[in-house]
Amino acid sequence: MSIKNHYYYDEKNCEFVPIEYNRIEQVVYNLSIWILSGVVLTGIGIILLSTYIGTPAELALKAENDVLYSQLEETKSSLIALDDQIKEIAEKDNEVYRSVLGMEKISYEERQAGIGGTDPYSEFDVYNEPTTELLKWTASKIDNLERKIGIQKLSFEEIKQQYNNNKERMSNIPAIKPTAGILLSGFGMRNHPILKYPRPHNGLDFRADIGDAVLTTGDGVIKYAGRQSTLGLIVIVDHGFGYETLYAHLSGFAKGIKKGAKVSRGQQIAMAGDSGLSEGPHLHYEVHYKGQPVDPIYYLFADTSPEEYALFKEISETNKNSLD
Ligand SMILES: [Zn+2]
């Protein structure tokens, strides 16, 4: 717009006459128009930006919020993984330590030991729904894990006490691997390698070559060392307290191993082989409690690391074939 276009009405002559501004007035007028336009446009811009995008402070907060939220999501995954690990420890606690020591198992409900009353996390209700949910979940999971760890600690204390009170029994109970090789097949229904149909596999199969050392897994007395049809050459050790172990498909007995001989845990009693109905050289190992075969995987605790135990359990559960 230009001030040259401004007119006034001359009543005397009945006509529009252009207004004549002097130079300074023109400059001031032009300048003020530009400044005013600038201010108005900037104002509109700021309003638009802060309404639809946010102020710089808000943008920084939003970025921070996004980072915190994704961090919280990651924490959630970590907590789930931790919970799984604690569950595994609890299972081993029940199935291995407490069972072997003749202690009552701790039930799932006892391990949960929930907190009652009103919602203890209602302080998070002020946020939007996904955030509130995530915050409540994380807080309650952490509380839950703390309780489970507390209960587990108490259980280990009890186990230690029980172990100290039962040292004699402890040296007799089968508690180590009977040979150095890795586990090949587990306990339960398995496809027989030679008979080619599923039947109960009452023990574990360990990798072993002919002549490899076979160790007794607890203190005891030799109950039998000889031949037994499909199992080939076997040794049975009576450990007292209701426990017996059986070692099969052997190729020979260690010196002095005969009925009535006393043996102590870790002592070599035989050599591995493939006698009897067997797929190839390996060691078949059974644990019997009160006359019934039980899963020997729960009796490897003295020399098995948690990682090795987890690996054995996986092999035991996934391999559907035995070497018998
Ligand atoms: Zn077997």
Side-chain angles (χ1 to χ4, degrees):
M1 92 190 55
S2 167
I3 59 172
K4 281 176 184 156
N5 299 330
H6 290 184
Y7 299 86
Y8 71 92
Y9 186 67
D10 184 347
E11 287 181 359
K12 218 189 282 173
N13 299 322
C14 294
E15 62 178 1
F16 287 98
V17 182
I19 302 170
E20 295 292 333
Y21 292 100
N22 68 34
R23 182 84 191 136
I24 292 178
E25 277 175 333
Q26 273 187 24
V27 169
V28 168
Y29 183 85
N30 275 335
L31 211 59
S32 57
I33 290 293
W34 281 111
I35 290 174
L36 193 64
S37 311
V39 168
V40 169
L41 282 175
T42 311
I44 291 171
I46 288 175
I47 289 168
L48 283 176
L49 277 175
S50 49
T51 308
Y52 296 104
I53 301 172
T55 63
E58 279 170 355
L59 287 178
L61 272 177
K62 191 176 176 303
E64 189 180 321
N65 199 40
D66 288 347
V67 170
L68 287 174
Y69 194 85
S70 60
Q71 185 64 36
L72 209 52
E73 288 275 11
E74 272 177 39
T75 308
K76 183 178 175 180
S77 316
S78 308
L79 287 175
I80 290 173
L82 272 178
D83 195 35
D84 284 346
Q85 284 183 36
I86 291 174
K87 208 167 125 197
E88 247 176 58
I89 294 172
E91 266 171 29
K92 194 172 176 188
D93 181 61
N94 268 344
E95 290 172 4
V96 182
Y97 303 120
R98 299 188 76 90
S99 297
V100 167
L101 285 164
M103 298 163 72
E104 288 272 314
K105 289 184 182 181
I106 301 176
S107 72
Y108 177 78
E109 288 73 23
E110 283 174 284
R111 287 184 188 271
Q112 290 291 321
I115 30 165
T118 52
D119 183 1
Y121 312 110
S122 53
E123 63 194 276
F124 298 128
D125 282 337
V126 292
Y127 305 108
N128 69 44
E129 208 184 317
T131 307
T132 301
E133 217 165 86
L134 189 56
L135 284 169
K136 281 188 173 185
W137 188 93
T138 322
S140 76
K141 198 73 196 168
I142 289 172
D143 286 347
N144 178 269
L145 289 178
E146 277 175 352
R147 285 193 302 277
K148 282 185 188 166
I149 290 170
I151 289 168
Q152 192 56 61
K153 273 166 101 176
L154 282 178
S155 178
F156 282 150
E157 279 304 311
E158 269 178 43
I159 287 169
K160 204 166 120 192
Q161 196 65 42
Q162 184 84 354
Y163 178 85
N164 286 331
N165 296 340
N166 294 274
K167 276 206 169 135
E168 194 208 342
R169 179 187 159 105
M170 287 319 298
S171 62
N172 283 56
I173 290 174
I176 62 168
K177 282 179 293 190
T179 191
I182 193 175
L183 186 71
L184 298 173
S185 179
F187 181 88
M189 287 303 276
R190 291 291 183 282
N191 298 314
H192 191 283
I194 292 156
L195 302 173
K196 304 289 181 201
Y197 59 80
R199 50 176 229 169
H201 186 233
N202 288 337
L204 300 179
D205 292 336
F206 288 90
R207 185 204 300 277
D209 285 329
I210 292 177
D212 279 358
V214 174
L215 318 172
T216 178
T217 54
D219 294 358
V221 175
I222 301 293
K223 183 181 172 185
Y224 180 74
R227 190 168 289 276
Q228 195 193 77
S229 64
T230 57
L231 290 177
L233 284 187
I234 64 164
V235 172
I236 298 174
V237 179
D238 183 354
H239 300 280
F241 306 98
Y243 289 99
E244 283 181 8
T245 50
L246 182 151
Y247 312 78
H249 306 302
L250 307 170
S251 61
F253 307 124
K255 204 169 160 233
I257 297 303
K258 55 177 197 277
K259 189 177 160 82
K262 273 191 159 186
V263 288
S264 51
R265 180 182 291 152
Q267 181 184 332
Q268 182 176 357
I269 51 170
M271 280 69 81
D274 65 347
S275 58
L277 217 51
S278 157
E279 169 91 271
H282 75 281
L283 175 68
H284 173 92
Y285 171 62
E286 294 183 10
V287 174
H288 294 237
Y289 182 59
K290 293 183 176 165
Q292 293 297 318
V294 291
D295 191 343
I297 201 152
Y298 300 131
Y299 295 87
L300 303 174
F301 52 88
D303 65 347
T304 312
S305 67
E307 294 77 24
E308 204 176 9
Y309 176 79
L311 175 70
F312 279 9
K313 200 143 186 343
E314 197 190 322
I315 294 170
S316 168
E317 281 162 9
T318 50
N319 186 2
K320 294 292 162 216
N321 303 308
S322 67
L323 289 87
D324 239 66

